[in-house]
Structure formats: C-alpha cells, structure tokens
Amino acid sequence: MGKVTGFLEIDRQVPKYQPASDRIRHFREFTLPMSDKEVEKQAARCMDCGVPYCHGPTGCPVHNQIPDWNDLVYNGNWDAAIRNLHSTNNFPEFTGRICPAPCEEACTLNLEDIPVAIKTVEQALADKAYETGYIRPYPPQAKTGKRVAIIGSGPAGMAAAQQLGRTGHEVHVYERESRPGGLMRYGIPDFKIEKHYIDRRVEQMQGEGVTFFCGVNVGVDRKVDELLAEYDAVLYCGGSETPRPAGIPGDDLEGVHDAMPYLVQQNKRVGGEDIVSVAWPAAPILAGGQHVVVVGGGDTASDCVGTAFRQGAVRVTQLDIRPQPPEREDKLTVWPYWATKMRTSSSQAEGAEREFQVATLEFIGEEGQLTGVKCCEVDEKRKPVPGTEFVIRADLAFIAIGFAGPLEGGLVKELEGRMDIATDARRSRNVAANDRDYRTSVDRLWAAGDVRRGQSLVVWAIREGRQAARAIDEALMGSTLLPR
C-alpha cells in the first residue's frame, strides 16, 4: 500500500494528452508524462484494502504485485519497484501504454470511480527503468544445451523467448514479417505505442542470446516438421489474425476493406518499410479527403478512426451494433470485473461520430466503387427495426469486428494436414492446448497466446508466453525455477 490516508488526501490524476488538433498532425505518442513527484503522489493513493483485487484473479492477468510497487514508489525506492514490476511482467512499457487496465477496474477505490492510477505508475516505472540503465541484457550464467524454436514474435513469443533465453536454452524466434513484434508492431498504431520500445527489447534479448529470424514464414519457407526434428521444443505463438467474416452484401466493392491491411500499411509507412505485407497484400489504402465509415466498436475500430484522422479524413463515422452503454455501471453488480459502460477512446475524442444500436445492412456503390453504407436501427435482440433505414456517405469503409483464429494457409494449413493435431472447434482452427502445460497433441509442440486462446489483450499474451516458457523448461529439464 502507499500512504495510509493518501486516498483521502490526494485526488486521482492521470497524464494529459496533447490537444486533438495537434496530435492528429502526427503519428507519435501524445501523452504528456507526469513528473516523478506527481507519480509518487498517485502511488500514495494505494490503500490498505485487505484483499487487493487489482493483481488477481479479476485484475492483472500477469499478477503484478501492484500494492507492493506502489508503496515502493511512494517511498521513493524506484529501483526496488522496478525490480518488483519486472519480476512478473517482462514488458511493462508495452502494457503501461496499451493495456486497458483491468487492474484499475478491480481497484477498491473504483467503487467511488477514483481508482489508483495504476497504469500511470506502471508506465512511469518502465520508462524510469530505461533511464537508470536497468534494462540491459541479463545473459544466463550457463547454457543447458537445449534448443527451442518459437514461431511468432508477438508479445507471447517475445515473453517466452526472454524467459527461456535467461534460463540458458538456445532460443530461435521465427517471424514472418521483416521485423519482430507481431501485431503489436504492425497492428497497433504508433500514436499508441512507438515501435522503438519493441526494438529496445529485441536488442536486450539478443544480448541475452535470443536469435531472431525475420522474413521466415514457417509453413511456407520452413516446415514445422523440420523445426520439430531440429529443436528439443517448438512453441507456436502465431496470433489470431483472420478477420471475423461480416457477411455484409457489397463487401467486394472498391473502398471496402478489413481493418488489418489498413493498419498494417500505415504502421509500415511510419516505420519506413515497404507497405507490401506477406499476410495482408493490398493496394495502398489512404483516407485523406475521404468520408470514412468504421464498422465495429472495439479497439481495432478505434485504431482505424485515429489513423483515418491522421491521414486527413474529412469525416469518420463509427457504427456499433451494441446499445449505447450507461455512463456509470452498477458497482455492486459488476465490481471488481470489467464493466460495460460508456468509454471514449482518445481516437474517438478526436472527432468521430458514433452511432449505437445500428446494424450495417449493405455497402452501396456505383460502377464498383463504394459510395455509401446502408444502415438501420436494431432492437435489443439486434434485429432490424423496420422503417429505420438510412444511408451514410462513404468513400472508404473498414470492417473491424474482431478476429476468428490464425491466418489460413502456411503453418495452419500444414498443421491441419496432420492427423495428430487437435484444434479448438469453438474458435476456428485455434490450436488446442490447456493453460497448465500448453502442450498440443503433437509431441514437442506447445502453443500459447492468441493462437491458443483466441483474440485477447497484450497482457494476456505476455502471461501465456511466460507460463508456456515455464512448462517447456520443466519438460526439458525435469524441474524449473521460472515463475508461473
């Protein structure tokens, strides 16, 4: 905990943003950091709540010891707080920026809508760790002689690679794209997380003995059977990247796109890369001067909104089939769980027009080109209400309604061709493995992250990567000192 009476004396404060009119002119992060003293005051608000739901089971998936490092920060012991935080989370600079903070939802002070600014303190600790030189390679004292291949370099693959590399195994990470990071690099815009944070971690991990092989599409350039023959263990962390099918008539019109090709292209532009992607080939998609409609109400849809504004879109409308949620949830019914309530992202606050309880009936076009989106209101069962149809002008439309498993072809096709691989029928080709040992039905093949559990948060991927690393180390060595 922090100061005994801190929550009574100190108001909740979080970092402010650059004005929307300024931040939409660039793709850099726009959060204005707080001073150390301000962060210490926020850490002081952590109260002696008895049962700290913030770090589990309803709060932080990686079980960050939040009250402990809040107390350390409040007392000015940043070094010990940094060590504590990194004992449970390999990449707090990622989660401190892009995690939706279920820990704050579970905070006891959230019963009064003034939770401790946990995410703010976490990001400050992560950034301080770099300033003080704590983030440097920590190579193992001895090698085990065991070799592990990891397929995919998203947060699950990176977390597993770092844990296994520090244990002394020889770790090789295979990445389909030209740079590591997975959808954390290519799916999440730079204005939410600049990619030099990923580069710094990759450099650290290389110093710890992890080797990255980029531009290698396992299942195409190399077969998984080759890896299984060459390595003592193979961990599949391929992610969940197949767009969920919308089934909307007219989705073949020019100007209608799934969200991911659009986001990947812009991330590659910002990173100075060729926009052509192995996984999402498409002609250049740009929203400058366009009327844009985004179908979907989640984070990916919000990322499309912010990207479109930065490209110079004239108007952006976001369609959500769900009813508009209440401004404030019933705390005694939902706390400490994640609540359904009105939330406005920074991208939506930049000027998006939001339509709730609206279904997308059809994409309308002329001569093969999108010109509008036909919509209607829906009832509580999401059935169209007769007589409520309307059309929104649209030059571009992005479908962002979630993901339905790993991409088809390549590794998935190879795995599906095997008679001994089990998949989760409920989640469209996700590889079946439990969350205790992460083993698949194929000998020496493990699976973790979104490819196993379905689309989820970066923090869940980090957790699964860490736990899978522990399971692999125990299987290879007979015992393990890695945390679960």
Side-chain angles (χ1 to χ4, degrees), residues 185-248:
R185 178 185 293 275
Y186 293 109
I188 300 175
D190 280 63
F191 56 80
K192 291 176 70 173
I193 179 170
E194 294 180 9
K195 304 311 184 292
H196 61 84
Y197 294 108
I198 302 174
D199 296 334
R200 292 194 307 192
R201 283 296 182 179
V202 169
E203 183 179 353
Q204 179 196 30
M205 293 166 64
Q206 289 172 330
E208 295 168 350
V210 176
T211 304
F212 289 84
F213 295 95
C214 294
V216 180
N217 191 356
V218 176
V220 178
D221 304 319
R222 292 202 65 178
K223 300 298 183 184
V224 70
D225 282 337
E226 295 177 15
L227 299 184
L228 290 169
E230 183 178 342
Y231 293 90
D232 298 293
V234 178
L235 175 60
Y236 182 22
C237 298
S240 179
E241 303 166 306
T242 298
R244 192 178 303 281
I248 303 172

Side-chain angles (χ1 to χ4, degrees), residues 376-438:
C376 74
E377 297 177 9
V378 296
D379 59 22
E380 64 277 2
K381 295 183 179 180
R382 300 188 178 182
K383 300 296 183 182
V385 176
T388 63
E389 295 84 1
F390 61 97
V391 175
I392 301 174
R393 176 183 172 183
D395 307 302
L396 272 179
F398 299 112
I399 302 173
I401 58 173
F403 301 91
L407 285 175
E408 297 181 12
L411 179 57
V412 171
K413 184 176 181 181
E414 182 184 352
L415 288 174
E416 287 180 338
R418 300 179 60 118
M419 299 302 293
D420 56 346
I421 184 71
T423 57
D424 186 345
R426 295 181 299 110
R427 293 198 179 107
S428 301
R429 302 184 318 280
N430 282 0
V431 176
N434 64 46
D435 61 358
R436 299 299 301 175
D437 61 16
Y438 292 88

